[in-house]
Amino acid sequence: MSRQQLLEMTRSLVEHGKADTMELVDDVVAIPASDYTDEARFEREKNLIFKRLPLMMAPSCELPEPGCYKAMDMAGIPVLITRQKDGTAQAFLNSCTHRGNPVAEGSGKATRFTCGYHGWTFKNDGDLLAIASPKDFGTVDKAAFCLKKFPTLERAGLIWATLDPDSTLDIEAYLCGYDSLLEHFGFDGWHLFDQRTIPGPNWKTAYDGYLDFYHLPVLHKNTFGADFFNRANYFAWGPHQRLSSPSKFVQKTGSEEKVDLTEIDEKDWPIDALLQGVWTIFPHISIASFYGGGGRGAMISQLFPGETVGESYTTQFYVMEHAPTDDAVRQGARDQFDFLETVVAEEDYKTGKRQHEALQSGLIDKVWFGRNEGGGQAFHQWVERLTEADDAELDRIFAPQLQAAE
């Protein structure tokens, strides 16, 4: 069924490409400039979106085998993700149940974690294994002092968690079937080549860019080129979106050659054609395919709000279908990853920071999204809807039977 959806979307893109058209939304829409600059709104977004909705914590290949872990901070919450003995992934609050000190830092492999404050030790699955000087401390029920678990789901080679231990929101329902499409990337068998974190502007300013092809030949004229496409059709599953340029052509993997899909039987359309474009996972993930290193690759961008309304940070994961086998392949992947850093950090995010500074002047009261920018319009509508929804309404919005009705 999911492959059929991919074929239907590709047919639509091909038809629009042949006709030199694109899908347009009904009208031009204005967004208050204060949506980007208001500190109180920013705190509300962190609490009601990033601390309440499922977030993509890591690609599965970042924790490839039992014992792997990573510690990270997400919107002010310390998180520990482990690959447990049975192979499943689990996210925990990275906080010792004795006094709250983090029990892990960085990443690596470990079967247990010992708190650096008083020496309490926890197993990889979060269970309390031992406390220091137990006779002196007193009797405790170890089962009541396990690391606090966050709801966690691993699907399509990606790991999600909700940073609310008491959340009743079903992660699978939240994904709205989008994960079945992401399965076609095959990320669960891919290789993590490298990762890095870069600073950015306001999180919505940064995310707007991932939902916008309109700027590509202008802002990126010196990198992608002034003749690059600037049109995108949008496909949505709840708040999650795919945007792809309407065209009958697709780039052949590992080369500059363009393949005309109208000259190929649909059953022979390559997976590259079915997955082209940018895939976004609300509220903070962008996935785009690239070919550095001579084969299929992708950059998974993981965006989080920073400490203030004008700051964000993005971790970029460069994943490859196959691990590099020689120096030439490694260098090709390195060159691609470095090129993407230039595009995002030196063009997208520098522009976003200048944009934010201008909006903070208070002299511009609105920003605008055109009929050709339907993805950005939908993103801001979802931000508004989900920050206004209480927990019961949130569960209702993502109830599977209601998703189908809507």
Side-chain angles (χ1 to χ4, degrees), residues 42 64 78 89 91 95 99 103 113 116 147 168 187 233 237 239 246 255 292 324 342 353 366 369 377 399:
F42 172 65
S95 181
R99 296 283 186 85
V103 300
F113 303 98
L147 295 179
T168 58
F187 288 144
N233 284 2
W237 297 261
S255 77
T342 297
K353 290 176 182 178
K366 296 176 182 177
F369 289 81
Q377 291 191 23

Side-chain angles (χ1 to χ4, degrees), residues 215-339:
H215 75 281
L216 296 182
V218 180
L219 182 59
H220 303 306
K221 61 182 181 297
N222 295 323
T223 46
F224 290 153
D227 59 347
F228 209 68
F229 55 79
N230 72 347
R231 287 176 166 179
N233 284 2
Y234 299 86
F235 307 91
W237 297 261
H240 318 298
Q241 298 187 61
R242 174 198 179 186
L243 56 157
S244 191
S245 179
S247 175
K248 65 177 184 175
F249 296 103
V250 63
Q251 182 178 336
K252 188 175 182 180
T253 301
S255 77
E256 296 298 319
E257 181 184 348
K258 297 287 185 178
V259 176
D260 187 340
L261 296 178
T262 63
E263 298 179 354
I264 304 174
D265 191 291
E266 281 188 8
K267 66 179 176 59
D268 296 321
W269 281 356
I271 193 64
D272 310 67
L274 304 184
L275 296 173
Q276 63 182 316
V278 174
W279 297 73
T280 64
I281 307 171
F282 188 93
H284 71 137
I285 299 296
S286 166
I287 301 171
S289 296
F290 296 97
Y291 305 103
R296 292 177 65 207
M299 188 166 77
I300 303 174
S301 299
Q302 181 189 57
L303 169 69
F304 287 104
E307 293 186 5
T308 69
V309 68
E311 299 174 316
S312 67
Y313 59 95
T314 298
T315 297
Q316 298 175 323
F317 301 92
Y318 194 79
V319 297
M320 303 175 68
E321 186 175 18
H322 303 292
T325 55
D326 57 50
D327 290 342
V329 173
R330 275 187 286 274
Q331 189 58 51
R334 171 58 54 202
D335 291 345
Q336 178 69 78
F337 197 30
D338 289 345
F339 170 77

Side-chain angles (χ1 to χ4, degrees), residues 69-82:
Y69 75 91
K70 78 165 179 175
M72 59 194 303
D73 180 274
M74 289 193 165
I77 297 177
V79 180
L80 171 64
I81 309 167
T82 71

Side-chain angles (χ1 to χ4, degrees), residues 103-147:
V103 300
E105 60 182 25
S107 61
K109 289 192 70 175
T111 58
R112 60 186 62 181
F113 303 98
T114 299
C115 177
Y117 192 7
H118 294 94
W120 282 34
T121 300
F122 300 83
K123 294 195 294 185
N124 181 272
D125 62 5
D127 286 354
L128 176 60
L129 181 64
I131 67 174
S133 305
K135 291 181 180 180
D136 297 336
F137 186 85
T139 302
V140 298
D141 177 5
K142 290 182 182 177
F145 285 84
C146 299
L147 295 179

Side-chain angles (χ1 to χ4, degrees), residues 4-231:
Q4 185 59 36
Q5 286 182 277
L6 291 174
L7 286 169
E8 290 171 0
M9 286 186 281
T10 305
R11 288 190 206 108
S12 172
L13 292 166
V14 168
E15 290 304 311
H16 276 284
K18 287 164 57 179
D20 193 27
T21 57
M22 67 177 294
E23 293 181 3
L24 301 171
V25 295
D26 293 338
D27 207 349
V28 176
V29 167
I31 302 294
S34 60
D35 280 12
Y36 295 92
T37 60
D38 185 81
E39 288 278 2
R41 183 181 182 89
F42 172 65
E43 292 300 322
R44 183 175 175 80
E45 290 166 353
K46 285 200 294 186
N47 289 329
L48 297 181
I49 292 181
F50 286 90
K51 296 180 182 180
R52 195 169 61 145
L53 297 179
L55 304 175
M56 199 290 285
M57 298 290 181
S60 298
C61 56
E62 190 180 9
L63 286 77
E65 57 190 28
C68 290
Y69 75 91
K70 78 165 179 175
M72 59 194 303
D73 180 274
M74 289 193 165
I77 297 177
V79 180
L80 171 64
I81 309 167
T82 71
R83 178 74 67 191
Q84 301 176 110
K85 186 176 181 180
D86 64 0
T88 61
Q90 179 62 51
F92 303 93
L93 179 66
N94 186 15
S95 181
C96 179
T97 49
H98 173 216
R99 296 283 186 85
N101 187 58
V103 300
E105 60 182 25
S107 61
K109 289 192 70 175
T111 58
R112 60 186 62 181
F113 303 98
T114 299
C115 177
Y117 192 7
H118 294 94
W120 282 34
T121 300
F122 300 83
K123 294 195 294 185
N124 181 272
D125 62 5
D127 286 354
L128 176 60
L129 181 64
I131 67 174
S133 305
K135 291 181 180 180
D136 297 336
F137 186 85
T139 302
V140 298
D141 177 5
K142 290 182 182 177
F145 285 84
C146 299
L147 295 179
K148 193 177 291 291
K149 290 184 177 181
F150 293 125
T152 306
L153 176 72
E154 186 167 19
R155 190 67 57 81
L158 304 170
I159 301 168
W160 278 271
T162 306
L163 302 184
D164 175 2
D166 301 317
S167 174
T168 58
L169 179 59
D170 183 86
I171 299 177
E172 185 173 3
Y174 172 77
L175 294 176
C176 304
Y178 194 56
D179 51 313
S180 66
L181 297 165
L182 295 174
E183 291 273 8
H184 290 275
F185 279 97
F187 288 144
D188 53 356
W190 283 33
H191 167 75
L192 176 60
F193 174 71
D194 201 1
Q195 67 185 83
R196 60 176 162 235
T197 299
I198 58 175
N202 169 267
W203 78 274
K204 287 184 295 187
T205 301
Y207 206 66
D208 283 344
Y210 293 112
L211 290 164
D212 173 13
F213 284 4
Y214 188 34
H215 75 281
L216 296 182
V218 180
L219 182 59
H220 303 306
K221 61 182 181 297
N222 295 323
T223 46
F224 290 153
D227 59 347
F228 209 68
F229 55 79
N230 72 347
R231 287 176 166 179

